[in-house]
C-alpha cells in the first residue's frame, strides 16, 4: 500500500553520519509504523547529503533522526543546519526531530538539547524515559489531527 501514503503519513528515519547502531532504527521504525506512518529507514551511517536527498525525493511529513553513539549533538546539528539551509523550501521546512543518546554524559544533556534546538530541530527528545510516548506526542503536536486515524 506504499503508493497510497499521503505526505502527512511519510517519515524519513535515519541515524547521523557517524552512527553504526541499527536496533534503535528497527525499534523506531516499528513504533512509527504502529502509529500509522509509512517509514523510509535509511539505515546507519547515513551521510548528511543522503538524508537531504531522501527528504527532497520523498517529501515526508517529518524526518526523525536517532543518535546512539553519543555524537548526535555534533552530527545532528550539522545535518539540521544543512537541511534548514537548503534552497528548496519543502526540504528546508520539514519537521525535524532528533532523539536518543545525544552525547556521552548520560541523561544530563539539557545544554546539548538547547544547542540542537538552536541549530534547527523542532523537537529534541534525548534519552527520554518513554521514547515511544515522547515521539508520538512530538509528531502529534505538529499534526494535531493525527495521522493514524
Ligand atoms: C549493540 C551495540 C553496539 C553494536 C551495534 C550493532 C548494530 N548493528 O546495531 C556495535 C558493536 C557495532 C557497537 C559499536 C559502538 N558502540 Co555501541 N552499543 C551497543 C549496545 C550494547 C546496545 C545498543 C542497542 O542495540 N540497543 C537496543 C536499541 C533498541 O536501543 P537503543 O539503541 O538504546 O535506542 C533506544 C533509545 O536510545 C531511544 N532512541 C534512540 N534513538 C531515538 C530517537 C528518537 C527520536 C527517540 C524518541 C528515541 C530514541 O529509543 C530506543 C529504544 O528505547 C549499547 C549498550 C546498551 N546496553 O544500550 C552500546 C552503546 C550504545 N555503544 C556505545 C559506544 C560508545 C559504541 C562505540 C563508539 C564503541 C567503540 N569505541 O567503537 C561504537 C560506535 C560505532 C559507531 N560508528 O557508531 C555506547 C554509547 C555511549 C554514549 N552514547 O554515551 C553504549 C551506550 C555502550 C556504553 N555504555 O558505553 N555498539
Amino acid at each position: 500500500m506504499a503508493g497510497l501514503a499521503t505526505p502527512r503519513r511519510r517519515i524519513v528515519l535515519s541515524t547521523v553520519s557517524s552512527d553504526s547502531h541499527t536496533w534503535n532504527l528497527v525499534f523506531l521504525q516499528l513504533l512509527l509504523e504502529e502509529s500509522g506512518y509509512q517509514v523510509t529507514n535509511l539505515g546507519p551511517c547515513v551521510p548528511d547529503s543522503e538524508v537531504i536527498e531522501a527528504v527532497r525525493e520523498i517529501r515526508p511529513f517529518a524526518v526523525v533522526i536517532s543518535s546512539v553513539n553519543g555524537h548526535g549533538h555534533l552530527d545532528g546539528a550539522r545535518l539540521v543546519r544543512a537541511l534548514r539551509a537548503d534552497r528548496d523550501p519543502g526540504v528546508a521546512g520539514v519537521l525535524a526531530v532528533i532523539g536518543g543518546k545525544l552525547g556521552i554524559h548520560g541523561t544530563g544533556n539539557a545544554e546539548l538539547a538547547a544547542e540542537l534546538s538552536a541549530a534547527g530541530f523542532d523537537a529534541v527528545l534525548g534519552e527520554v524515559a518513554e521514547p515511544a510516548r515522547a515521539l508520538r506526542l512530538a509528531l502529534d503536536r505538529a499534526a494535531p489531527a493525527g495521522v493514524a486515524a
Side-chain angles (χ1 to χ4, degrees), residues 18-23 27 66 68-70 99-101 103-104 127:
S18 70
D19 205 323
S20 69
H21 294 89
T22 45
W23 291 110
F27 169 86
S66 169
V68 171
N69 69 359
K101 297 172 181 51
I104 54 166
E127 187 69 331

Side-chain angles (χ1 to χ4, degrees), residues 89-111:
V91 173
V94 71
L95 182 78
V97 178
I98 189 167
K101 297 172 181 51
L102 302 172
I104 54 166
H105 298 297
T107 51
N109 54 15
E111 240 174 70

Side-chain angles (χ1 to χ4, degrees), residues 107-140:
T107 51
N109 54 15
E111 240 174 70
L112 301 186
E115 283 171 22
L116 285 162
S117 295
F121 279 104
D122 298 289
V124 182
L125 300 171
E127 187 69 331
V128 286
E130 291 182 79
R133 192 165 170 273
L135 183 54
R136 280 199 195 106
L137 273 176
L139 296 173
D140 285 353

Side-chain angles (χ1 to χ4, degrees), residues 8-82:
R8 287 183 73 213
R9 285 182 183 270
R10 295 186 204 132
I11 299 247
V12 167
L13 171 65
S14 182
T15 51
V16 290
S17 60
S18 70
D19 205 323
S20 69
H21 294 89
T22 45
W23 291 110
N24 47 318
L25 295 174
V26 173
F27 169 86
L28 290 165
Q29 178 172 354
L30 292 173
L31 167 74
L32 289 164
E33 285 175 351
E34 252 180 34
S35 300
Y37 293 98
Q38 180 196 316
V39 178
T40 301
N41 181 346
L42 301 180
C45 288
V46 186
D48 298 355
S49 58
E50 274 185 33
V51 177
I52 291 169
E53 284 317 305
V55 171
R56 196 182 315 287
E57 191 180 317
I58 294 165
R59 301 277 153 180
F61 158 68
V63 55
V64 175
I65 304 296
S66 169
S67 165
V68 171
N69 69 359
H71 294 285
H73 63 295
L74 298 173
D75 293 345
R78 189 194 58 239
L79 166 62
V80 79
R81 281 195 198 102

